[in-house]
Amino acid sequence: MQFSLKATAADKIRTQCLVLPVQAGRLTATGAAFDARLDMTLSAALKGGDLGRKPGSTLLVPGIKGLSRILLVSMGEDDTLSAPRFADAVRSAFRAVLATPATDVFCALHEASVELRELPWRVGQVVLMAREAAYRFDAYRSKPEPAPALKDVVLGMDNVGEVRSLTPLVARMSDLADGIDTARDLGNQPPNVCNPAWLATQAQKLGRRHKLKVEILDQKQMASLGMNALLAVAQGSVQPPRLIVMHYRGAGARQAPVVLVGKGITFDTGGISIKPAADMDEMKFDMSGAGSVFGTMQAVAQMKLKINLTVIIAAAENMPSGSACRPGDIVTTLSGQTVEILNTDAEGRLVLCDALTYAERFKPAAVIDVATLTGACVIALGHQRAGLFANDDALAAQLRTAGDDSGDTCWPLPLDEAYQEQLRSSFADMGNIGGRPAGAITAACFLSRFAKKYAWAHLDVAGVAWRSGTNKGSTGRPVALLTHYLMDKAG
């Protein structure tokens, strides 16, 4: 799907689908111009009351005078609407367009009035929501559904100046959408395909495509380093683990890199502390942290941002077997700290702790880890926001702003020292769980013990990384949040 901007009078436009917003029962300026061209046909359609009032309701009007069809899209009854409702309305509009045979669209949805959001933000959201609506994952269907007909989306602008100023933004949002799609593709892969070695191969392919430096550490190399926590998680599986490291250098050598660390548990049975059978298939999404940092790397490389970025993916499979680690085992981490494994289903923090220690060697400006870490975070924040923890207030504020700007939101949770007491172990430096109370917080407290040498943040994306039910699948979050943060850092 290609996006472009055009400043053209309404009487010159020819398109297979014209998409117009209707806000508080009224057409916007572009809609009014087309209405005049069409002898007030659109006003008559609105007076008929067939367009629903809820944001995202649509009404398809037969086209005339060079317009094959016209889609009217409700933006609600108020003069302005919230950013999330705008995104939902745009997504709904493009779903309706994709249900038609139209191959091109002329769109004016960005003319809607959105609370505290200017034109560039609205244009960017149209690109992202259109791409989200068009996403398909049918690689394993014997008879895939026909691909959507829509190929070209033109956004109407008031003048040539807007076209010039916003064209680079549209290109960047398309690159961001590519990164989100990649994260979704990785997350949606079946676990008999997506294992640590396969993820490493995908990283090598991305490296060749974008001239990244890629390093893959195997089991023997990790053992020689002393990454015993990560290896303990992997030892119950026949699939050997990998530590995947990708380097993008878009700035000078003196600039410290931002390091993104992704949890890459390609399937999580819980190990000896095995999970219930119901919905266990969704544990293929436990590598969504890895998928999101992978997708972010792709987006950054395509945008050619002037920033240095390193991505670390701790990839393993957590399985029960005669060789699996047990509750009560004690391991010495790469940092030298010892951990009593009290629950083998708290495995994400074990692979991440060694990866966080490994990140020290890159002398990072900041480290952000991303993980589907705790069900407790889902209970706390639901499926709307990721949990945000940080040892640096400025970094936390930057991530929260990036989440708000992108619509890929997060919410700060505490890291008070008092919670650390719950990790006390009778036999080692710490246990890997802190009991049921404040489960997301104690998991973050555990990670914080391995991130004391740099500015660090942890995003718990267990509630937002995938959807269950009839629309089951990866969301690609938080690629948008991370990429906006890096765009801001790069200026």
Side-chain angles (χ1 to χ4, degrees), residues 33-365:
F34 277 103
D35 198 22
R37 170 182 167 181
L38 300 174
D39 303 321
M40 311 310 286
T41 299
L42 303 180
S43 297
L46 291 176
K47 287 179 182 177
D50 291 331
L51 178 63
R53 297 179 180 180
K54 182 180 178 182
S57 299
T58 59
L59 176 63
L60 195 61
V61 178
I64 53 176
K65 297 185 178 180
L67 307 172
S68 300
R69 56 187 62 79
I70 303 161
L71 187 72
L72 300 178
V73 184
S74 174
M75 294 289 164
E77 297 181 286
D78 298 325
D79 290 332
T80 61
L81 76 165
S82 68
R85 284 188 176 275
F86 175 76
D88 288 343
V90 174
R91 191 184 297 111
S92 176
F94 274 92
R95 285 176 182 150
V97 172
L98 291 163
T100 75
T103 59
D104 69 87
V105 159
F106 187 89
C107 175
L109 293 177
H110 51 279
E111 291 186 357
S113 177
V114 183
E115 293 172 354
L116 304 176
R117 302 296 183 180
E118 301 299 327
L119 179 62
W121 183 89
R122 301 194 303 266
V123 167
Q125 284 295 297
V126 170
V127 174
L128 292 175
M129 294 306 103
R131 285 286 301 273
E132 181 179 324
Y135 177 81
R136 302 285 187 277
F137 186 80
D138 53 11
Y140 297 95
R141 295 185 184 276
S142 59
K143 296 180 180 179
E145 295 181 8
L150 183 61
K151 303 298 181 187
D152 296 299
V153 178
V154 177
L155 279 65
M157 296 289 115
D158 287 342
N159 53 64
V160 174
E162 288 181 346
V163 172
R164 289 174 179 163
S165 65
L166 293 174
T167 294
L169 169 70
V170 169
R172 280 196 169 187
M173 291 302 100
S174 295
D175 290 336
L176 172 54
D178 287 344
I180 293 171
D181 282 358
T182 291
R184 297 182 75 178
D185 284 346
L186 292 174
N188 288 330
Q189 293 289 338
N192 59 320
V193 171
C194 181
N195 57 43
W198 184 87
L199 268 182
T201 299
Q202 303 313 301
Q204 290 167 330
K205 289 180 179 178
L206 185 70
R208 288 193 291 270
R209 213 159 52 235
H210 295 289
K211 298 180 180 179
L212 310 174
K213 181 181 177 183
V214 179
E215 305 168 79
I216 309 296
L217 276 66
D218 61 20
Q219 192 165 352
K220 184 177 179 181
Q221 291 169 304
M222 285 185 275
S224 68
L225 287 171
M227 304 182 84
N228 299 309
L230 194 161
L231 294 174
V233 174
Q235 71 189 44
S237 173
V238 297
Q239 299 292 344
R242 295 287 187 273
L243 190 78
I244 302 164
V245 186
M246 295 183 277
H247 303 280
Y248 166 83
R249 295 296 178 256
R254 293 185 178 180
Q255 185 186 99
V258 174
V259 177
L260 304 180
V261 179
K263 173 187 171 183
I265 300 297
T266 57
F267 194 77
D268 181 21
T269 65
I272 297 299
S273 308
I274 197 163
K275 295 176 181 290
D279 300 322
M280 195 192 286
D281 65 290
E282 295 186 8
M283 287 301 96
K284 72 176 188 175
F285 297 119
D286 211 21
M287 47 65 65
S288 294
S292 70
V293 299
F294 195 110
T296 300
M297 174 60 88
Q298 177 179 328
V300 166
Q302 288 185 195
M303 292 178 186
K304 296 181 171 59
L305 291 186
K306 293 181 179 180
I307 195 169
N308 292 333
L309 175 65
T310 291
V311 162
I312 302 173
I313 293 172
E317 188 179 60
N318 188 24
M319 298 289 283
S321 74
S323 61
C325 66
R326 296 148 293 229
D329 283 2
I330 295 176
V331 295
T332 302
T333 66
L334 178 58
S335 71
Q337 298 175 88
T338 59
V339 177
E340 183 182 12
I341 302 173
L342 298 172
N343 187 319
T344 65
D345 195 23
E347 84 299 327
R349 63 201 75 181
L350 295 174
V351 301
L352 287 174
C353 72
D354 279 344
L356 288 171
T357 302
Y358 192 81
E360 292 175 9
R361 65 186 56 207
F362 303 116
K363 297 179 173 58

Side-chain angles (χ1 to χ4, degrees), residues 380-398:
L381 297 176
H383 300 287
Q384 286 72 36
R385 292 179 182 261
L388 169 64
F389 304 83
N391 65 9
D392 184 278
D393 290 342
L395 176 58
Q398 291 162 5

